[in-house]
Amino acid sequence: MTRLRLVLVDDHAMFRAGVRAELGDDFDIVGEAANVDEAIRVIRETTPDVVLLDVHLPGGDARAVLEGCLSDVPATRFLALSVSDAPDDVVATVRGGARGYVTKAISGPELREAIQRTADGDAVFSPRLAGFVLDAFAGGAAEHDEEIDRLTPREREVMRLIARGYTYREVATELVLSIKTVETHVSAVLRKLQLSNRRELAQWASDRKLI
Amino acid sequence: MTRLRLVLVDDHAMFRAGVRAELGDDFDIVGEAANVDEAIRVIRETTPDVVLLDVHLPGGDARAVLEGCLSDVPATRFLALSVSDAPDDVVATVRGGARGYVTKAISGPELREAIQRTADGDAVFSPRLAGFVLDAFAGGAAEHDEEIDRLTPREREVMRLIARGYTYREVATELVLSIKTVETHVSAVLRKLQLSNRRELAQWASDRKLI
DNA sequence: GGGCGAATGGGGGACTTTCCCTGATGTGGT
DNA sequence: ACCACATCAGGGAAAGTCCCCCATTCGCCC
């Protein structure tokens, strides 16, 4: 059987050298690229079986590469390989068309297997990351965070300050209110969001990048 | 002349393989580590000439490694080698005792030269990064924050968590202490820094980018 | 050996903060 | 008139913060 043909896309020459050293004997590395434009060109020219694709690249990200050549090389499978295990990165890259996503903490043998499975049509994910993708597909689309819509403008304003660690007294001073009014708003926010204290609120706001 | 003895500290086996493949002929790689504790142990055991040190590690960061063994191996030089080019990371790592800081975008020959120069006592920086360090020293070096030197290691540890908003109870759980001990440390920190409550402490720590 | 700093904790107290409850008033929109 | 919203009050339970006091242990240095 002929060796699988690979393209490596990563802006770190050192990392590409590592992959070559670990995998060069088992796969045919037909091309390398260090940025988005180069990657698109090389992939089109070589139509490899699998592309190892770093998520963060000079001149764009993995999605830019996927958009630029996915439709031109239908037989090529893309395996994202990144230092980032951020849910946003994972979900965005998979939405863009990657067939798998593993972190660079992976070992040589594991990567070898991941590439083989990707070429076979499997979806390969580092254990912790599979959950993010499933979550995103399961819950993500419909709701649009109805919860925050139930807060009044004033409540949102108070909520933001509370989430930053202000005390009720400080919020009252900042917004020129009485402490009691702040208490009322905070209670309403906690009740509406079904949270039980300010720390959870800070977490909630941080998750939604509201601070 | 005998080859320089290296230790590689990086949580990505793949990256270490890349460095080995690129440098293994020119340097004597006497040890490798993938996390903070392992790194400290290996460095103490091998007392290499140069340590290639990733900034972001499981169980801590490069500073933890530097704190853990800098005084034990006075002849060893540390060269930070990271994907991050964030000013905070650079400055923090250099403050911690690293003698240089280059990004992983570096090429094999450049890394070879950087290691040689580090061993010779030079300070090696990627071009864009040198500026950050110089800025940091220009903008307030004279004082060297005598205040924080007056804190004991344990006090600093407690202080960091308090500054992040942890309650005494949570700090106690995290560090496996009694609440009373946490209170004692916090009181000492507030007294030494002449602050009056945890919010001022959070502000103080944030100003100094200790969180 | 004696002193000293560091780390660990216990008791207790004063005070603030948080969160919830039950109210009230006024305003603007439909 | 009704309702959502914003404003404020009194009261109280619970938690957390910060300050005293104190003791023990350990290791280090003179």
Side-chain angles (χ1 to χ4, degrees), chain B residues 152 154 177-178 180-181 185:
Chain B
T152 68
R154 201 55 159 170
L177 293 176
S178 89
K180 278 301 184 177
T181 303
H185 288 316

mmCIF file with all atom_site columns, all heavy atoms in Angstrom, chain B residues 152 154 177-178 180-181 185, chain C residues 6-12:
data_model
loop_
_atom_site.group_PDB
_atom_site.id
_atom_site.type_symbol
_atom_site.label_atom_id
_atom_site.label_alt_id
_atom_site.label_comp_id
_atom_site.label_asym_id
_atom_site.label_entity_id
_atom_site.label_seq_id
_atom_site.pdbx_PDB_ins_code
_atom_site.Cartn_x
_atom_site.Cartn_y
_atom_site.Cartn_z
_atom_site.occupancy
_atom_site.B_iso_or_equiv
_atom_site.pdbx_formal_charge
_atom_site.auth_seq_id
_atom_site.auth_comp_id
_atom_site.auth_asym_id
_atom_site.auth_atom_id
_atom_site.pdbx_PDB_model_num
ATOM 1   N N     . THR B 1 152 ? 6.714   36.938 52.418 1.00 0.00 ? 152 THR B N     1
ATOM 2   C CA    . THR B 1 152 ? 7.287   35.591 52.374 1.00 0.00 ? 152 THR B CA    1
ATOM 3   C C     . THR B 1 152 ? 6.667   34.849 51.190 1.00 0.00 ? 152 THR B C     1
ATOM 4   O O     . THR B 1 152 ? 5.631   35.260 50.664 1.00 0.00 ? 152 THR B O     1
ATOM 5   C CB    . THR B 1 152 ? 6.971   34.822 53.667 1.00 0.00 ? 152 THR B CB    1
ATOM 6   O OG1   . THR B 1 152 ? 5.575   34.559 53.716 1.00 0.00 ? 152 THR B OG1   1
ATOM 7   C CG2   . THR B 1 152 ? 7.389   35.613 54.888 1.00 0.00 ? 152 THR B CG2   1
ATOM 8   N N     . ARG B 1 154 ? 5.021   32.105 51.025 1.00 0.00 ? 154 ARG B N     1
ATOM 9   C CA    . ARG B 1 154 ? 3.661   31.657 51.309 1.00 0.00 ? 154 ARG B CA    1
ATOM 10  C C     . ARG B 1 154 ? 2.687   32.828 51.252 1.00 0.00 ? 154 ARG B C     1
ATOM 11  O O     . ARG B 1 154 ? 1.563   32.690 50.757 1.00 0.00 ? 154 ARG B O     1
ATOM 12  C CB    . ARG B 1 154 ? 3.624   31.013 52.690 1.00 0.00 ? 154 ARG B CB    1
ATOM 13  C CG    . ARG B 1 154 ? 2.456   30.088 52.920 1.00 0.00 ? 154 ARG B CG    1
ATOM 14  C CD    . ARG B 1 154 ? 2.360   29.014 51.884 1.00 0.00 ? 154 ARG B CD    1
ATOM 15  N NE    . ARG B 1 154 ? 1.576   27.880 52.354 1.00 0.00 ? 154 ARG B NE    1
ATOM 16  C CZ    . ARG B 1 154 ? 1.174   26.898 51.590 1.00 0.00 ? 154 ARG B CZ    1
ATOM 17  N NH1   . ARG B 1 154 ? 1.470   26.911 50.301 1.00 0.00 ? 154 ARG B NH1   1
ATOM 18  N NH2   . ARG B 1 154 ? 0.487   25.896 52.078 1.00 0.00 ? 154 ARG B NH2   1
ATOM 19  N N     . LEU B 1 177 ? -5.049  24.436 53.821 1.00 0.00 ? 177 LEU B N     1
ATOM 20  C CA    . LEU B 1 177 ? -4.711  25.137 55.066 1.00 0.00 ? 177 LEU B CA    1
ATOM 21  C C     . LEU B 1 177 ? -5.986  25.329 55.869 1.00 0.00 ? 177 LEU B C     1
ATOM 22  O O     . LEU B 1 177 ? -7.080  25.084 55.371 1.00 0.00 ? 177 LEU B O     1
ATOM 23  C CB    . LEU B 1 177 ? -4.131  26.523 54.747 1.00 0.00 ? 177 LEU B CB    1
ATOM 24  C CG    . LEU B 1 177 ? -2.780  26.592 54.041 1.00 0.00 ? 177 LEU B CG    1
ATOM 25  C CD1   . LEU B 1 177 ? -2.438  28.023 53.736 1.00 0.00 ? 177 LEU B CD1   1
ATOM 26  C CD2   . LEU B 1 177 ? -1.727  25.960 54.906 1.00 0.00 ? 177 LEU B CD2   1
ATOM 27  N N     . SER B 1 178 ? -5.833  25.758 57.108 1.00 0.00 ? 178 SER B N     1
ATOM 28  C CA    . SER B 1 178 ? -7.025  26.159 57.843 1.00 0.00 ? 178 SER B CA    1
ATOM 29  C C     . SER B 1 178 ? -7.317  27.617 57.502 1.00 0.00 ? 178 SER B C     1
ATOM 30  O O     . SER B 1 178 ? -6.444  28.377 57.099 1.00 0.00 ? 178 SER B O     1
ATOM 31  C CB    . SER B 1 178 ? -6.819  26.006 59.341 1.00 0.00 ? 178 SER B CB    1
ATOM 32  O OG    . SER B 1 178 ? -6.276  27.190 59.882 1.00 0.00 ? 178 SER B OG    1
ATOM 33  N N     . LYS B 1 180 ? -7.881  29.913 59.430 1.00 0.00 ? 180 LYS B N     1
ATOM 34  C CA    . LYS B 1 180 ? -7.139  30.786 60.347 1.00 0.00 ? 180 LYS B CA    1
ATOM 35  C C     . LYS B 1 180 ? -5.749  31.116 59.809 1.00 0.00 ? 180 LYS B C     1
ATOM 36  O O     . LYS B 1 180 ? -5.256  32.227 59.954 1.00 0.00 ? 180 LYS B O     1
ATOM 37  C CB    . LYS B 1 180 ? -7.028  30.096 61.716 1.00 0.00 ? 180 LYS B CB    1
ATOM 38  C CG    . LYS B 1 180 ? -8.270  30.273 62.545 1.00 0.00 ? 180 LYS B CG    1
ATOM 39  C CD    . LYS B 1 180 ? -8.525  31.752 62.747 1.00 0.00 ? 180 LYS B CD    1
ATOM 40  C CE    . LYS B 1 180 ? -9.710  32.005 63.664 1.00 0.00 ? 180 LYS B CE    1
ATOM 41  N NZ    . LYS B 1 180 ? -9.890  33.453 63.893 1.00 0.00 ? 180 LYS B NZ    1
ATOM 42  N N     . THR B 1 181 ? -5.131  30.141 59.217 1.00 0.00 ? 181 THR B N     1
ATOM 43  C CA    . THR B 1 181 ? -3.810  30.386 58.646 1.00 0.00 ? 181 THR B CA    1
ATOM 44  C C     . THR B 1 181 ? -3.904  31.375 57.494 1.00 0.00 ? 181 THR B C     1
ATOM 45  O O     . THR B 1 181 ? -3.068  32.271 57.350 1.00 0.00 ? 181 THR B O     1
ATOM 46  C CB    . THR B 1 181 ? -3.197  29.067 58.149 1.00 0.00 ? 181 THR B CB    1
ATOM 47  O OG1   . THR B 1 181 ? -3.155  28.166 59.236 1.00 0.00 ? 181 THR B OG1   1
ATOM 48  C CG2   . THR B 1 181 ? -1.799  29.289 57.608 1.00 0.00 ? 181 THR B CG2   1
ATOM 49  N N     . HIS B 1 185 ? -2.026  35.039 57.124 1.00 0.00 ? 185 HIS B N     1
ATOM 50  C CA    . HIS B 1 185 ? -1.221  35.473 55.979 1.00 0.00 ? 185 HIS B CA    1
ATOM 51  C C     . HIS B 1 185 ? -1.787  36.745 55.367 1.00 0.00 ? 185 HIS B C     1
ATOM 52  O O     . HIS B 1 185 ? -1.051  37.671 55.041 1.00 0.00 ? 185 HIS B O     1
ATOM 53  C CB    . HIS B 1 185 ? -1.168  34.362 54.932 1.00 0.00 ? 185 HIS B CB    1
ATOM 54  C CG    . HIS B 1 185 ? -0.311  33.207 55.341 1.00 0.00 ? 185 HIS B CG    1
ATOM 55  N ND1   . HIS B 1 185 ? 0.928   33.356 55.927 1.00 0.00 ? 185 HIS B ND1   1
ATOM 56  C CD2   . HIS B 1 185 ? -0.507  31.862 55.254 1.00 0.00 ? 185 HIS B CD2   1
ATOM 57  C CE1   . HIS B 1 185 ? 1.450   32.167 56.183 1.00 0.00 ? 185 HIS B CE1   1
ATOM 58  N NE2   . HIS B 1 185 ? 0.591   31.240 55.786 1.00 0.00 ? 185 HIS B NE2   1
ATOM 59  P P     . DA  C 2 6   ? 10.240  36.263 57.720 1.00 0.00 ? 6   DA  C P     1
ATOM 60  O OP1   . DA  C 2 6   ? 10.766  36.709 56.413 1.00 0.00 ? 6   DA  C OP1   1
ATOM 61  O OP2   . DA  C 2 6   ? 9.270   37.101 58.472 1.00 0.00 ? 6   DA  C OP2   1
ATOM 62  O "O5'" . DA  C 2 6   ? 9.586   34.828 57.537 1.00 0.00 ? 6   DA  C "O5'" 1
ATOM 63  C "C5'" . DA  C 2 6   ? 10.383  33.751 57.098 1.00 0.00 ? 6   DA  C "C5'" 1
ATOM 64  C "C4'" . DA  C 2 6   ? 9.600   32.458 57.232 1.00 0.00 ? 6   DA  C "C4'" 1
ATOM 65  O "O4'" . DA  C 2 6   ? 9.590   32.060 58.616 1.00 0.00 ? 6   DA  C "O4'" 1
ATOM 66  C "C3'" . DA  C 2 6   ? 8.142   32.561 56.794 1.00 0.00 ? 6   DA  C "C3'" 1
ATOM 67  O "O3'" . DA  C 2 6   ? 7.916   31.673 55.714 1.00 0.00 ? 6   DA  C "O3'" 1
ATOM 68  C "C2'" . DA  C 2 6   ? 7.333   32.172 58.018 1.00 0.00 ? 6   DA  C "C2'" 1
ATOM 69  C "C1'" . DA  C 2 6   ? 8.350   31.472 58.904 1.00 0.00 ? 6   DA  C "C1'" 1
ATOM 70  N N9    . DA  C 2 6   ? 8.113   31.673 60.340 1.00 0.00 ? 6   DA  C N9    1
ATOM 71  C C8    . DA  C 2 6   ? 8.006   32.852 61.005 1.00 0.00 ? 6   DA  C C8    1
ATOM 72  N N7    . DA  C 2 6   ? 7.810   32.718 62.300 1.00 0.00 ? 6   DA  C N7    1
ATOM 73  C C5    . DA  C 2 6   ? 7.772   31.342 62.485 1.00 0.00 ? 6   DA  C C5    1
ATOM 74  C C6    . DA  C 2 6   ? 7.602   30.538 63.619 1.00 0.00 ? 6   DA  C C6    1
ATOM 75  N N6    . DA  C 2 6   ? 7.423   31.032 64.843 1.00 0.00 ? 6   DA  C N6    1
ATOM 76  N N1    . DA  C 2 6   ? 7.628   29.200 63.452 1.00 0.00 ? 6   DA  C N1    1
ATOM 77  C C2    . DA  C 2 6   ? 7.809   28.701 62.211 1.00 0.00 ? 6   DA  C C2    1
ATOM 78  N N3    . DA  C 2 6   ? 7.999   29.364 61.068 1.00 0.00 ? 6   DA  C N3    1
ATOM 79  C C4    . DA  C 2 6   ? 7.966   30.687 61.276 1.00 0.00 ? 6   DA  C C4    1
ATOM 80  P P     . DA  C 2 7   ? 6.487   31.700 54.977 1.00 0.00 ? 7   DA  C P     1
ATOM 81  O OP1   . DA  C 2 7   ? 6.714   31.253 53.602 1.00 0.00 ? 7   DA  C OP1   1
ATOM 82  O OP2   . DA  C 2 7   ? 5.821   32.996 55.263 1.00 0.00 ? 7   DA  C OP2   1
ATOM 83  O "O5'" . DA  C 2 7   ? 5.661   30.568 55.738 1.00 0.00 ? 7   DA  C "O5'" 1
ATOM 84  C "C5'" . DA  C 2 7   ? 6.187   29.269 55.813 1.00 0.00 ? 7   DA  C "C5'" 1
ATOM 85  C "C4'" . DA  C 2 7   ? 5.330   28.440 56.748 1.00 0.00 ? 7   DA  C "C4'" 1
ATOM 86  O "O4'" . DA  C 2 7   ? 5.561   28.862 58.097 1.00 0.00 ? 7   DA  C "O4'" 1
ATOM 87  C "C3'" . DA  C 2 7   ? 3.821   28.582 56.517 1.00 0.00 ? 7   DA  C "C3'" 1
ATOM 88  O "O3'" . DA  C 2 7   ? 3.283   27.358 56.038 1.00 0.00 ? 7   DA  C "O3'" 1
ATOM 89  C "C2'" . DA  C 2 7   ? 3.253   28.977 57.879 1.00 0.00 ? 7   DA  C "C2'" 1
ATOM 90  C "C1'" . DA  C 2 7   ? 4.387   28.651 58.833 1.00 0.00 ? 7   DA  C "C1'" 1
ATOM 91  N N9    . DA  C 2 7   ? 4.403   29.540 59.996 1.00 0.00 ? 7   DA  C N9    1
ATOM 92  C C8    . DA  C 2 7   ? 4.474   30.903 60.004 1.00 0.00 ? 7   DA  C C8    1
ATOM 93  N N7    . DA  C 2 7   ? 4.468   31.423 61.214 1.00 0.00 ? 7   DA  C N7    1
ATOM 94  C C5    . DA  C 2 7   ? 4.389   30.320 62.052 1.00 0.00 ? 7   DA  C C5    1
ATOM 95  C C6    . DA  C 2 7   ? 4.346   30.198 63.449 1.00 0.00 ? 7   DA  C C6    1
ATOM 96  N N6    . DA  C 2 7   ? 4.377   31.235 64.280 1.00 0.00 ? 7   DA  C N6    1
ATOM 97  N N1    . DA  C 2 7   ? 4.277   28.946 63.963 1.00 0.00 ? 7   DA  C N1    1
ATOM 98  C C2    . DA  C 2 7   ? 4.238   27.910 63.115 1.00 0.00 ? 7   DA  C C2    1
ATOM 99  N N3    . DA  C 2 7   ? 4.278   27.908 61.782 1.00 0.00 ? 7   DA  C N3    1
ATOM 100 C C4    . DA  C 2 7   ? 4.348   29.153 61.315 1.00 0.00 ? 7   DA  C C4    1
ATOM 101 P P     . DT  C 2 8   ? 1.759   27.256 55.692 1.00 0.00 ? 8   DT  C P     1
ATOM 102 O OP1   . DT  C 2 8   ? 1.641   26.144 54.723 1.00 0.00 ? 8   DT  C OP1   1
ATOM 103 O OP2   . DT  C 2 8   ? 1.221   28.597 55.366 1.00 0.00 ? 8   DT  C OP2   1
ATOM 104 O "O5'" . DT  C 2 8   ? 1.100   26.791 57.059 1.00 0.00 ? 8   DT  C "O5'" 1
ATOM 105 C "C5'" . DT  C 2 8   ? 1.552   25.608 57.682 1.00 0.00 ? 8   DT  C "C5'" 1
ATOM 106 C "C4'" . DT  C 2 8   ? 1.021   25.536 59.086 1.00 0.00 ? 8   DT  C "C4'" 1
ATOM 107 O "O4'" . DT  C 2 8   ? 1.581   26.616 59.866 1.00 0.00 ? 8   DT  C "O4'" 1
ATOM 108 C "C3'" . DT  C 2 8   ? -0.484  25.732 59.236 1.00 0.00 ? 8   DT  C "C3'" 1
ATOM 109 O "O3'" . DT  C 2 8   ? -1.135  24.488 59.093 1.00 0.00 ? 8   DT  C "O3'" 1
ATOM 110 C "C2'" . DT  C 2 8   ? -0.630  26.292 60.660 1.00 0.00 ? 8   DT  C "C2'" 1
ATOM 111 C "C1'" . DT  C 2 8   ? 0.786   26.722 61.037 1.00 0.00 ? 8   DT  C "C1'" 1
ATOM 112 N N1    . DT  C 2 8   ? 0.870   28.116 61.541 1.00 0.00 ? 8   DT  C N1    1
ATOM 113 C C2    . DT  C 2 8   ? 0.884   28.317 62.904 1.00 0.00 ? 8   DT  C C2    1
ATOM 114 O O2    . DT  C 2 8   ? 0.819   27.399 63.701 1.00 0.00 ? 8   DT  C O2    1
ATOM 115 N N3    . DT  C 2 8   ? 0.968   29.635 63.288 1.00 0.00 ? 8   DT  C N3    1
ATOM 116 C C4    . DT  C 2 8   ? 1.053   30.731 62.470 1.00 0.00 ? 8   DT  C C4    1
ATOM 117 O O4    . DT  C 2 8   ? 1.135   31.863 62.934 1.00 0.00 ? 8   DT  C O4    1
ATOM 118 C C5    . DT  C 2 8   ? 1.036   30.455 61.049 1.00 0.00 ? 8   DT  C C5    1
ATOM 119 C C7    . DT  C 2 8   ? 1.117   31.581 60.070 1.00 0.00 ? 8   DT  C C7    1
ATOM 120 C C6    . DT  C 2 8   ? 0.947   29.175 60.661 1.00 0.00 ? 8   DT  C C6    1
ATOM 121 P P     . DG  C 2 9   ? -2.718  24.375 59.240 1.00 0.00 ? 9   DG  C P     1
ATOM 122 O OP1   . DG  C 2 9   ? -3.172  23.045 58.845 1.00 0.00 ? 9   DG  C OP1   1
ATOM 123 O OP2   . DG  C 2 9   ? -3.260  25.577 58.569 1.00 0.00 ? 9   DG  C OP2   1
ATOM 124 O "O5'" . DG  C 2 9   ? -2.912  24.525 60.812 1.00 0.00 ? 9   DG  C "O5'" 1
ATOM 125 C "C5'" . DG  C 2 9   ? -4.132  24.560 61.349 1.00 0.00 ? 9   DG  C "C5'" 1
ATOM 126 C "C4'" . DG  C 2 9   ? -4.097  25.270 62.674 1.00 0.00 ? 9   DG  C "C4'" 1
ATOM 127 O "O4'" . DG  C 2 9   ? -3.107  26.320 62.705 1.00 0.00 ? 9   DG  C "O4'" 1
ATOM 128 C "C3'" . DG  C 2 9   ? -5.431  25.983 62.964 1.00 0.00 ? 9   DG  C "C3'" 1
ATOM 129 O "O3'" . DG  C 2 9   ? -6.115  25.294 63.974 1.00 0.00 ? 9   DG  C "O3'" 1
ATOM 130 C "C2'" . DG  C 2 9   ? -5.041  27.353 63.416 1.00 0.00 ? 9   DG  C "C2'" 1
ATOM 131 C "C1'" . DG  C 2 9   ? -3.552  27.216 63.682 1.00 0.00 ? 9   DG  C "C1'" 1
ATOM 132 N N9    . DG  C 2 9   ? -2.947  28.531 63.573 1.00 0.00 ? 9   DG  C N9    1
ATOM 133 C C8    . DG  C 2 9   ? -2.584  29.226 62.449 1.00 0.00 ? 9   DG  C C8    1
ATOM 134 N N7    . DG  C 2 9   ? -2.110  30.411 62.702 1.00 0.00 ? 9   DG  C N7    1
ATOM 135 C C5    . DG  C 2 9   ? -2.165  30.504 64.091 1.00 0.00 ? 9   DG  C C5    1
ATOM 136 C C6    . DG  C 2 9   ? -1.787  31.557 64.953 1.00 0.00 ? 9   DG  C C6    1
ATOM 137 O O6    . DG  C 2 9   ? -1.306  32.646 64.659 1.00 0.00 ? 9   DG  C O6    1
ATOM 138 N N1    . DG  C 2 9   ? -2.004  31.235 66.297 1.00 0.00 ? 9   DG  C N1    1
ATOM 139 C C2    . DG  C 2 9   ? -2.538  30.040 66.730 1.00 0.00 ? 9   DG  C C2    1
ATOM 140 N N2    . DG  C 2 9   ? -2.685  29.896 68.052 1.00 0.00 ? 9   DG  C N2    1
ATOM 141 N N3    . DG  C 2 9   ? -2.871  29.049 65.944 1.00 0.00 ? 9   DG  C N3    1
ATOM 142 C C4    . DG  C 2 9   ? -2.678  29.347 64.636 1.00 0.00 ? 9   DG  C C4    1
ATOM 143 P P     . DG  C 2 10  ? -7.562  24.975 63.884 1.00 0.00 ? 10  DG  C P     1
ATOM 144 O OP1   . DG  C 2 10  ? -7.548  23.516 63.745 1.00 0.00 ? 10  DG  C OP1   1
ATOM 145 O OP2   . DG  C 2 10  ? -8.279  25.823 62.919 1.00 0.00 ? 10  DG  C OP2   1
ATOM 146 O "O5'" . DG  C 2 10  ? -8.045  25.360 65.346 1.00 0.00 ? 10  DG  C "O5'" 1
ATOM 147 C "C5'" . DG  C 2 10  ? -7.212  25.068 66.446 1.00 0.00 ? 10  DG  C "C5'" 1
ATOM 148 C "C4'" . DG  C 2 10  ? -7.396  26.125 67.521 1.00 0.00 ? 10  DG  C "C4'" 1
ATOM 149 O "O4'" . DG  C 2 10  ? -6.470  27.196 67.284 1.00 0.00 ? 10  DG  C "O4'" 1
ATOM 150 C "C3'" . DG  C 2 10  ? -8.784  26.754 67.509 1.00 0.00 ? 10  DG  C "C3'" 1
ATOM 151 O "O3'" . DG  C 2 10  ? -9.482  26.365 68.686 1.00 0.00 ? 10  DG  C "O3'" 1
ATOM 152 C "C2'" . DG  C 2 10  ? -8.543  28.266 67.488 1.00 0.00 ? 10  DG  C "C2'" 1
ATOM 153 C "C1'" . DG  C 2 10  ? -7.051  28.397 67.728 1.00 0.00 ? 10  DG  C "C1'" 1
ATOM 154 N N9    . DG  C 2 10  ? -6.470  29.484 66.944 1.00 0.00 ? 10  DG  C N9    1
ATOM 155 C C8    . DG  C 2 10  ? -6.145  29.461 65.606 1.00 0.00 ? 10  DG  C C8    1
ATOM 156 N N7    . DG  C 2 10  ? -5.629  30.577 65.175 1.00 0.00 ? 10  DG  C N7    1
ATOM 157 C C5    . DG  C 2 10  ? -5.612  31.388 66.294 1.00 0.00 ? 10  DG  C C5    1
ATOM 158 C C6    . DG  C 2 10  ? -5.159  32.721 66.436 1.00 0.00 ? 10  DG  C C6    1
ATOM 159 O O6    . DG  C 2 10  ? -4.672  33.464 65.573 1.00 0.00 ? 10  DG  C O6    1
ATOM 160 N N1    . DG  C 2 10  ? -5.317  33.174 67.740 1.00 0.00 ? 10  DG  C N1    1
ATOM 161 C C2    . DG  C 2 10  ? -5.843  32.441 68.767 1.00 0.00 ? 10  DG  C C2    1
ATOM 162 N N2    . DG  C 2 10  ? -5.926  33.055 69.945 1.00 0.00 ? 10  DG  C N2    1
ATOM 163 N N3    . DG  C 2 10  ? -6.259  31.201 68.649 1.00 0.00 ? 10  DG  C N3    1
ATOM 164 C C4    . DG  C 2 10  ? -6.118  30.739 67.386 1.00 0.00 ? 10  DG  C C4    1
ATOM 165 P P     . DG  C 2 11  ? -11.003 26.703 68.840 1.00 0.00 ? 11  DG  C P     1
ATOM 166 O OP1   . DG  C 2 11  ? -11.518 25.758 69.839 1.00 0.00 ? 11  DG  C OP1   1
ATOM 167 O OP2   . DG  C 2 11  ? -11.627 26.807 67.510 1.00 0.00 ? 11  DG  C OP2   1
ATOM 168 O "O5'" . DG  C 2 11  ? -10.984 28.176 69.486 1.00 0.00 ? 11  DG  C "O5'" 1
ATOM 169 C "C5'" . DG  C 2 11  ? -10.194 28.419 70.626 1.00 0.00 ? 11  DG  C "C5'" 1
ATOM 170 C "C4'" . DG  C 2 11  ? -10.577 29.751 71.242 1.00 0.00 ? 11  DG  C "C4'" 1
ATOM 171 O "O4'" . DG  C 2 11  ? -9.746  30.793 70.653 1.00 0.00 ? 11  DG  C "O4'" 1
ATOM 172 C "C3'" . DG  C 2 11  ? -12.029 30.169 71.020 1.00 0.00 ? 11  DG  C "C3'" 1
ATOM 173 O "O3'" . DG  C 2 11  ? -12.585 30.644 72.235 1.00 0.00 ? 11  DG  C "O3'" 1
ATOM 174 C "C2'" . DG  C 2 11  ? -11.950 31.277 69.972 1.00 0.00 ? 11  DG  C "C2'" 1
ATOM 175 C "C1'" . DG  C 2 11  ? -10.551 31.843 70.166 1.00 0.00 ? 11  DG  C "C1'" 1
ATOM 176 N N9    . DG  C 2 11  ? -9.938  32.315 68.934 1.00 0.00 ? 11  DG  C N9    1
ATOM 177 C C8    . DG  C 2 11  ? -9.823  31.615 67.756 1.00 0.00 ? 11  DG  C C8    1
ATOM 178 N N7    . DG  C 2 11  ? -9.210  32.280 66.814 1.00 0.00 ? 11  DG  C N7    1
ATOM 179 C C5    . DG  C 2 11  ? -8.912  33.493 67.405 1.00 0.00 ? 11  DG  C C5    1
ATOM 180 C C6    . DG  C 2 11  ? -8.253  34.634 66.858 1.00 0.00 ? 11  DG  C C6    1
ATOM 181 O O6    . DG  C 2 11  ? -7.795  34.790 65.726 1.00 0.00 ? 11  DG  C O6    1
ATOM 182 N N1    . DG  C 2 11  ? -8.160  35.658 67.792 1.00 0.00 ? 11  DG  C N1    1
ATOM 183 C C2    . DG  C 2 11  ? -8.626  35.599 69.075 1.00 0.00 ? 11  DG  C C2    1
ATOM 184 N N2    . DG  C 2 11  ? -8.447  36.677 69.824 1.00 0.00 ? 11  DG  C N2    1
ATOM 185 N N3    . DG  C 2 11  ? -9.246  34.542 69.593 1.00 0.00 ? 11  DG  C N3    1
ATOM 186 C C4    . DG  C 2 11  ? -9.355  33.534 68.703 1.00 0.00 ? 11  DG  C C4    1
ATOM 187 P P     . DG  C 2 12  ? -14.144 30.937 72.296 1.00 0.00 ? 12  DG  C P     1
ATOM 188 O OP1   . DG  C 2 12  ? -14.564 30.702 73.684 1.00 0.00 ? 12  DG  C OP1   1
ATOM 189 O OP2   . DG  C 2 12  ? -14.832 30.267 71.176 1.00 0.00 ? 12  DG  C OP2   1
ATOM 190 O "O5'" . DG  C 2 12  ? -14.169 32.508 72.024 1.00 0.00 ? 12  DG  C "O5'" 1
ATOM 191 C "C5'" . DG  C 2 12  ? -13.230 33.336 72.688 1.00 0.00 ? 12  DG  C "C5'" 1
ATOM 192 C "C4'" . DG  C 2 12  ? -13.233 34.709 72.075 1.00 0.00 ? 12  DG  C "C4'" 1
ATOM 193 O "O4'" . DG  C 2 12  ? -12.439 34.697 70.861 1.00 0.00 ? 12  DG  C "O4'" 1
ATOM 194 C "C3'" . DG  C 2 12  ? -14.617 35.229 71.672 1.00 0.00 ? 12  DG  C "C3'" 1
ATOM 195 O "O3'" . DG  C 2 12  ? -14.903 36.405 72.416 1.00 0.00 ? 12  DG  C "O3'" 1
ATOM 196 C "C2'" . DG  C 2 12  ? -14.501 35.529 70.185 1.00 0.00 ? 12  DG  C "C2'" 1
ATOM 197 C "C1'" . DG  C 2 12  ? -12.999 35.657 69.992 1.00 0.00 ? 12  DG  C "C1'" 1
ATOM 198 N N9    . DG  C 2 12  ? -12.545 35.379 68.646 1.00 0.00 ? 12  DG  C N9    1
ATOM 199 C C8    . DG  C 2 12  ? -12.725 34.224 67.927 1.00 0.00 ? 12  DG  C C8    1
ATOM 200 N N7    . DG  C 2 12  ? -12.202 34.280 66.725 1.00 0.00 ? 12  DG  C N7    1
ATOM 201 C C5    . DG  C 2 12  ? -11.663 35.551 66.650 1.00 0.00 ? 12  DG  C C5    1
ATOM 202 C C6    . DG  C 2 12  ? -10.972 36.184 65.599 1.00 0.00 ? 12  DG  C C6    1
ATOM 203 O O6    . DG  C 2 12  ? -10.698 35.733 64.482 1.00 0.00 ? 12  DG  C O6    1
ATOM 204 N N1    . DG  C 2 12  ? -10.592 37.479 65.944 1.00 0.00 ? 12  DG  C N1    1
ATOM 205 C C2    . DG  C 2 12  ? -10.850 38.076 67.160 1.00 0.00 ? 12  DG  C C2    1
ATOM 206 N N2    . DG  C 2 12  ? -10.421 39.315 67.319 1.00 0.00 ? 12  DG  C N2    1
ATOM 207 N N3    . DG  C 2 12  ? -11.496 37.500 68.151 1.00 0.00 ? 12  DG  C N3    1
ATOM 208 C C4    . DG  C 2 12  ? -11.867 36.240 67.830 1.00 0.00 ? 12  DG  C C4    1
#
